[in-house]
Amino acid sequence: MKDQHCEISNQVENHFLLLNLLSLNSGESPFLTGRALWFSARFANKVPANLLQAFLEATAHGLQNGQSPIVRIQAARAVYEFITNIPLEKRGILGSFVTQALGSLIEMCSTAPTEVSCLLLEVITECINIEDDNLDNAGFVNLKQPQSCYDEVL
């Protein structure tokens, strides 16, 4: 009985996620498209890996210059949510996405009002933190912490 309940629950979640992904591609209402991006990112820990890539691509597309301002702002919120909600074992999928998102976020800062700039700076900080974590895990030197050979100089 419990297995059947879990299977039904997973089917409902996958169906819901697919409907949300379809609404992202419809482009009917910029506000609803933006909310769908943000909503999807809030539940990134429940999204299967194959759908997660599609949501990340939709978010990257939402950050692009030709999009409506509300879609771009909600896509920026989605970036933050994806970074904070994707489980550690799935974080490898974020590599090129974070790099692409950083470029768009920095570009958005040049024209954003103060309120939006504050949001963008928070998202950029999370992008940098996750990139820094990825560099640490790859064996690169962490330049934030002095190394033993530099301790004497400082």
Side-chain angles (χ1 to χ4, degrees):
M1 181 73 170
K2 185 177 181 180
D3 290 338
Q4 185 181 12
H5 176 69
C6 289
E7 184 178 333
I8 291 171
S9 177
N10 285 338
Q11 289 175 353
V12 169
E13 284 178 14
N14 288 339
H15 180 71
F16 177 73
L17 290 169
L18 285 171
L19 286 175
N20 202 21
L21 189 57
L22 289 173
S23 70
L24 289 174
N25 294 327
S26 72
E28 289 181 20
S29 166
F31 180 77
L32 290 178
T33 300
R35 291 298 279 189
L37 283 173
W38 173 78
F39 183 82
S40 302
R42 295 276 298 175
F43 295 98
N45 58 341
K46 304 284 187 203
V47 178
N50 59 339
L51 284 177
L52 191 58
Q53 184 64 41
F55 281 117
L56 292 173
E57 289 171 7
T59 302
H61 181 71
L63 289 169
Q64 291 178 351
N65 200 16
Q67 294 291 336
S68 159
I70 190 66
V71 171
R72 294 185 82 193
I73 292 167
Q74 294 288 4
R77 291 179 68 200
V79 170
Y80 180 88
E81 294 296 338
F82 275 122
I83 289 172
T84 57
N85 290 321
I86 289 180
L88 291 175
E89 64 271 4
K90 291 183 181 178
R91 288 237 172 125
I93 199 169
L94 290 173
S96 62
F97 168 74
V98 170
T99 304
Q100 183 180 5
L102 264 172
S104 296
L105 292 165
I106 291 170
E107 187 270 326
M108 285 173 66
C109 282
S110 65
T111 58
T114 304
E115 297 83 7
V116 176
S117 294
C118 292
L119 167 72
L120 294 174
L121 289 174
E122 281 186 52
V123 177
I124 289 170
T125 300
E126 285 301 313
C127 289
I128 291 170
N129 286 339
I130 199 157
E131 283 295 305
D132 192 36
D133 290 345
N134 288 342
L135 289 176
D136 289 345
N137 292 335
F140 290 98
V141 175
N142 186 351
L143 297 177
K144 291 180 182 177
Q145 299 175 1
Q147 301 299 314
S148 60
C149 62
Y150 297 115
D151 290 339
E152 295 173 14
V153 176
L154 298 175

